[in-house]
Structures are given as structure tokens and as C-alpha cells.
Amino acid sequence: MRSQSTGYYLRRIAEAWLTILVHVDAFRIEPRAYLTATKWWMKRKRVRARGQFAPLFSRSPRAYRLWMLRREIQGRAYSPPDPRYPIIVLIDLNGAHDPRDLAATCKSVAAESLPALLIGSCDTPTLAVAIARIDWADRPWLLPVRPGDRIAPGAAAAYRAAMGDPAVRLLYADDDLLVGRRRVTPHFKPDWNSELFRHGDYLSGACILRATRFELVAVADAPDWTERLVGQLAGEGAPVHVRDMLHHRRHRPAPALPAKPLDLKGDLPPISVIVPTRNRVDLLRTCLDGVAAADYPDVEVIVVDNDSDDPDTLTYLAALDPARYRVLRHGGVFNYSAINNRAADVAQGRLLCLLNNDIEVTDPHWLAILATQALRPDVGAVGARLLYPDGRIQHAGVVVGIGNAAGHAHRFLRPEGEGYFHRHSLPQFTSAVTAACLVVERHKFFAVGGLDEQHFAVAFNDVDLCLRLNQCGWQSFYEPRATLIHHESVSRGLDRDPIGLARFAGELAALKRLWLTDELYDPYHHPQLSRASEQFAVAL
């Protein structure tokens, strides 16, 4: 008992020391940003401070070590083996490997009391021989492992705890990389995201599956039999994510970059582009010129003017060709939801495109790309990748729960950067996208009641819309192959006056009340990623 107590206090001391070192690293990396975050912390602006600290801490080479130590201190309870769920480990020796790495792999498997077949060994020279040695009457789960990889203590129990549903045939977990004896680069994965999986296999090598003998025989001659089998089972039913760090790997496959060009539909239906505006004719002209240049067969443009009083803007609106543009007048206090709902009521297109007037188009195919994805029966709102004028990312999907509300994923990252496993560069399902550039089928938009004018006049109306579409089975979708420039809030400005701040506070409260964003976690994010950071930082 005394030794256990001593070990606990030593780990606590190590945790305190590592915490100090992570702070030192953060200060060295960006002194000014660290001091700014410290200032907000001292002023008791804790949410803002955490949001600025989190990405700084994540850049420390010691951040993941600190996370691991805290998990070790918390401890985990493991259930005894359940005979209803036999697990067989398949270790494929074909290919170069270090005997010492293989020994470490076998040791981690033996520690879990799991039987293993070494494919390529004298006893089991081929996968076909391994198949013959498996007792298929027990309906075993198969755990493919590469030589050099290790499975974590308690992995078998963690997987068995998720095996209760007979319809589930593939479970996957989080993983990190082994560099020597160090564990680095943790991948805290999203829940099942079929679109993301199409562009990067994040399951193989960190999963367990219940395949039939026939299915395994069908891929036995392929050198990449694991990937083929995983791809087949993933395509037949939704894999289940075990949100735990169960695999330590020597190598990890990289996604295919850049994403392959999208096959655009040849018979795209009419689309109505809705552009709210107020003054700033320079922005509006740039936006509408970009829409006019879009390579799209049938575009209706509806400009909704919210009390413009600038003479140049009024002259420009009056001169727009009525054959190509409709100008609606919408007076009164700015209500983004009401403006777009009114335009959607009179829109003629099968598709709606909500577009801010401060969007600058850089590619003529952007609209066709978004429309092609929006026509999928399982997709609701589709959002583009938006960049600030300096080239950094402004929007790459929305993560619900960030700041206890919602935040733009990967904000401020350079598009050419690696980011978090290149997620910003890959098409994928998300919980929401921004309405600064959003395409949705008109019937889906009205099926959920359009934008909420009462609760979300300005902020979070797009998040609320996307969540309601998701509930109906129309999942939000992020499409980086459509990239535009967003001069964010240039025409309206930011709400820093007392009235604007009070309105925002009310909308934030409504989002928390209606969607519990201060409690839930985004299934396309992860509970072990910080809710304070838009940059997918490990939660410390």
C-alpha cells in the first residue's frame, strides 16, 4: 500500500513539473500570445484565455506526455475477459521488420492473454493456413496487427465492452506513433465519417473486425488484405469508434492529397444565389462578378438590400440587369435569418446558395462543386473552405461545443500546412458549416423550417439550421475543393456595441439551451481534444 501511495505522489510531482515545462515551451514558442492569454486569465476571462492557451500548449513537444501522465494518474478499470467474444490476433510478418519490434508486439499481445497467429512464420506460412486454423464456429473477432505495433494494456477489455451489438462488425480506436520508445503524434479520431474514410484510411491498423471465413478467403492473396477487408466491412455498415488510445504504431498511412477532383453532375438543376447586402458596393460588385463567372448552367441571383443609403451602392443596384438579378428591399434592423428566409420564399431554384456579400470567388467551378454534393440524398448543408485575405483558413467546417458554443475548425491554419492529419484539406461530414457560403436543396431547407428568425437573428443561425438538417438525416458536409476568400464581417462590422453584445449573449444562451452545446461533444471532433481550441489541440 505504501509503495502504491509513493508511486501516486511521484506521478503527481512529475505532472506538476511537466505542466511547468509545457508553459515554458508555450512562452518560448510565442511570447506575445502567451502573455496575452495570461492577461485574459488574470482578468478572469477564462473561456477566452483557454482558447488562446490551448493551441500554444499543443505545440509543446511535452504536451502529449503530460496528457498520458494525467491519464495514468486517473487510472482505468478493466473488465475480465468475456468468453462470448473471442479475439484472435493476426500478425502479418510479410515485409521487412525488426525482430526486436516483433518481440515487443508479441509481448503486448501476450499481456492481453490473446492468442496470436504469426502469418509468414514456419507454423503459419500463409494467411490461407491461418484461416484453416481458426475455429470459425466461435464467430471470433480478428485483430490485425503489424510487427512493431503494440496494443495498449486493457485494449481487449475496451474492445469487448463495445461488442454487444450483433450488427456491428468493425470497431476502431485511437492511435499514436512509436518513435523509439516514445509515443508521439496522437490521433484522436472522429466517430465514423464515411466521406473522410474515402480520402484517408484511419481504421486499418487500429481496429478489430468480425469477418466471416468466406470474406477472409476472398482477400487472402492480396498483400494489403487488411485494408481490403476493412474497406469492405466499413462499406457494409457503420463502424463504431472506441474512444480510447488502444494502438501504438510504428507507421501510419497518409491520406491521398490533394483530394481527387470531384466528378461534377452533368445536369445540374437551377440554383438561387441569395446575397444580403448593405452599402459597400466594392464588396458587392466583386461578389456578384464571381457569381457571374461561375461555370454553372442556370443561376438566379437574388440581392437583398438592407437599407443601403450609399449613393454609389444604390446606383449599382438600380443598374443590375433585371433578367439576371432580382433586387429585394428588406428594411429595418439587420436580421440575417429573416433576410434569407424571405429570399428563399421567392427563389425559383431547386438549390439555394446563401452567400455573404464579402465573399470573393477564385475558381469558376466552386458553385458546381457545392451543388453536386448538396444533391446527395444523405447530405444537407454544404460549406466551402473559406480563407482570410492573407491566405489563412477562416472556415473548414464547424465544430459544435467549441467555447461551449461552436467554432470554425482549423481557423488561422495555412492551407498548405499539415494541420490535424490534413483534415482541413479533405472532404468530410461535419456537424455544421457556415452560412457565409452554404448550398442546400430548397425542399430540405423548408422541411426544417428555414433559418430561425426569433432565436438567431445574426449569430449561430447556420449552426442551428445544420443541426436540424442533421436530425432529419441530411448531414452537413465540408468541401475544400471549393475554396473562396471571405472578407469576414467587413460590410456589417463586428457587434461590439452594448446592443450587439446583448443580442449575441441572447443567441449564445439560445444555442446552449436548444442544443446543449456546453455539454455535448461533436462526434466529428473528440472528447480528448480541447473544447477551447478551434485547432484540434490535445485537451490539457
Side-chain angles (χ1 to χ4, degrees):
M1 182 68 70
R2 179 176 296 178
S3 62
Q4 291 180 352
S5 177
T6 301
Y8 173 81
Y9 286 114
L10 287 176
R11 286 193 293 270
R12 280 296 191 186
I13 293 171
E15 178 196 13
W17 178 240
L18 264 179
T19 302
I20 292 171
L21 292 178
V22 167
H23 276 270
V24 171
D25 290 337
F27 177 76
R28 287 175 175 170
I29 290 167
E30 283 197 48
R32 180 174 296 180
Y34 181 89
L35 292 175
T36 300
T38 302
K39 176 190 73 174
W40 292 122
W41 186 268
M42 296 177 68
K43 289 187 173 183
R44 306 186 72 81
K45 302 288 186 180
R46 298 301 166 83
V47 173
R48 182 179 300 183
R50 288 191 183 101
Q52 296 181 6
F53 272 131
L56 294 177
F57 292 159
S58 69
R59 291 165 64 184
S60 165
R62 289 175 260 255
Y64 186 43
R65 285 169 53 196
L66 177 58
W67 179 89
M68 288 189 290
L69 182 60
R70 289 179 175 175
R71 292 281 287 180
E72 182 182 338
I73 292 172
Q74 292 171 3
R76 291 185 294 182
Y78 303 124
S79 302
D82 189 334
R84 295 178 299 167
Y85 305 121
I87 298 172
I88 298 174
V89 179
L90 301 179
I91 306 175
D92 194 342
L93 304 183
N94 295 305
H97 61 272
D98 188 324
R100 293 171 298 181
D101 284 343
L102 175 59
T105 300
C106 293
K107 182 179 179 181
S108 72
V109 170
E112 292 296 288
S113 301
L114 297 176
L117 294 174
L118 276 63
I119 302 165
S121 66
C122 296
D123 291 339
T124 315
T126 65
L127 180 57
V129 174
I131 294 171
R133 295 181 59 185
I134 295 174
D135 185 355
W136 295 98
D138 289 340
R139 301 186 69 219
W141 287 78
L142 306 178
L143 178 56
V145 177
R146 298 291 187 189
D149 293 359
R150 302 200 314 251
I151 58 174
Y159 273 133
R160 284 188 173 111
M163 290 178 180
D165 186 348
V168 175
R169 301 180 64 202
L170 199 160
L171 306 170
Y172 68 96
D174 306 320
D175 61 47
D176 55 24
L177 285 179
L178 291 169
V179 178
R181 294 184 178 181
R182 292 187 304 118
R183 290 168 48 193
V184 299
T185 322
H187 191 180
F188 295 109
K189 302 174 184 179
D191 287 356
W192 176 234
N193 193 321
S194 58
E195 185 68 25
L196 183 62
F197 180 73
R198 287 181 57 199
H199 302 276
D201 181 354
Y202 63 92
L203 306 188
S204 299
C207 67
I208 187 169
L209 39 90
R210 187 168 57 198
T212 65
R213 178 175 187 151
F214 174 79
E215 289 166 335
L216 197 52
V217 167
V219 298
D221 294 332
D224 59 344
W225 61 268
T226 299
E227 290 76 10
R228 289 173 181 261
L229 190 58
V230 167
Q232 178 182 331
L233 295 184
E236 295 176 358
V240 170
H241 182 199
V242 178
R243 303 178 198 102
D244 209 343
M245 188 63 64
L246 302 184
H247 295 266
H248 314 308
R249 310 174 65 180
R250 287 295 177 190
H251 303 283
R252 179 191 279 148
L257 294 170
K260 294 179 181 179
L262 180 65
D263 291 331
L264 302 178
K265 288 182 64 68
D267 54 346
L268 289 166
I271 188 169
S272 298
V273 180
I274 300 170
V275 185
T277 194
R278 173 181 167 84
N279 295 327
R280 290 305 301 266
V281 67
D282 53 333
L283 294 175
L284 181 61
R285 182 183 290 111
T286 298
C287 176
L288 296 187
D289 287 348
V291 174
D295 186 4
Y296 198 95
D298 190 347
V299 181
E300 173 191 42
V301 181
I302 303 174
V303 181
V304 189
D305 178 40
N306 182 218
D307 289 338
S308 290
D309 53 12
D310 169 61
D312 291 339
T313 301
L314 296 175
T315 300
Y316 175 77
L317 291 173
L320 289 174
D321 182 357
R324 298 182 60 189
Y325 302 94
R326 299 177 65 182
V327 179
L328 300 180
R329 308 292 178 180
H330 187 96
V333 176
F334 179 77
N335 185 316
Y336 183 86
S337 297
I339 287 172
N340 281 280
N341 284 344
R342 180 185 173 194
D345 279 334
V346 300
Q348 301 297 310
R350 174 182 166 185
L351 291 164
L352 300 176
C353 174
L354 310 187
L355 191 68
N356 281 15
N357 68 339
D358 52 2
I359 293 291
E360 180 181 344
V361 175
T362 58
D363 177 4
H365 301 294
W366 67 280
L367 195 54
I369 290 172
L370 298 177
T372 296
Q373 299 289 24
L375 290 168
R376 290 168 49 170
D378 57 338
V379 169
V382 181
R385 178 166 64 179
L386 302 181
L387 307 180
Y388 288 110
D390 66 3
R392 295 179 300 165
I393 290 174
Q394 187 261 337
H395 167 268
V398 170
V399 177
V400 175
I402 294 294
N404 292 330
H408 286 185
H410 315 289
R411 195 203 292 260
F412 303 127
L413 181 68
R414 303 297 306 188
E416 64 275 11
E418 178 180 349
Y420 195 72
F421 298 95
H422 300 281
R423 288 276 296 271
H424 62 287
S425 298
L426 301 174
Q428 61 200 271
F429 291 114
T430 57
S431 287
V433 293
T434 180
C437 179
L438 180 156
V439 173
V440 63
E441 285 193 274
R442 187 172 184 272
H443 81 90
K444 296 174 184 175
F445 181 83
F446 282 111
V448 299
L451 295 171
D452 187 334
E453 303 176 18
Q454 178 183 355
H455 297 105
F456 305 107
V458 178
F460 305 122
N461 40 58
D462 43 12
V463 177
D464 173 72
L465 172 69
C466 289
L467 292 176
R468 284 184 280 121
L469 288 166
N470 296 348
Q471 281 188 332
C472 292
W474 298 314
Q475 192 62 45
S476 304
F477 193 98
Y478 164 63
E479 180 49 90
R481 288 170 290 196
T483 297
L484 305 95
I485 297 173
H486 186 198
H487 302 264
E488 187 179 32
S489 300
V490 172
S491 60
R492 281 195 61 250
L494 298 174
D495 292 312
R496 293 199 173 105
D497 60 283
I499 295 177
L501 290 173
R503 175 198 51 73
F504 178 82
E507 291 167 336
L508 176 59
L511 188 71
K512 292 179 179 179
R513 183 178 69 256
L514 295 173
W515 295 107
L516 304 178
T517 56
D518 52 349
E519 300 177 15
L520 62 78
Y521 86 93
D522 190 314
Y524 302 117
H525 200 238
H526 196 288
Q528 296 302 324
L529 293 174
S530 173
R531 293 170 60 89
S533 173
E534 295 169 310
Q535 297 180 22
F536 288 62
V538 61
L540 295 178

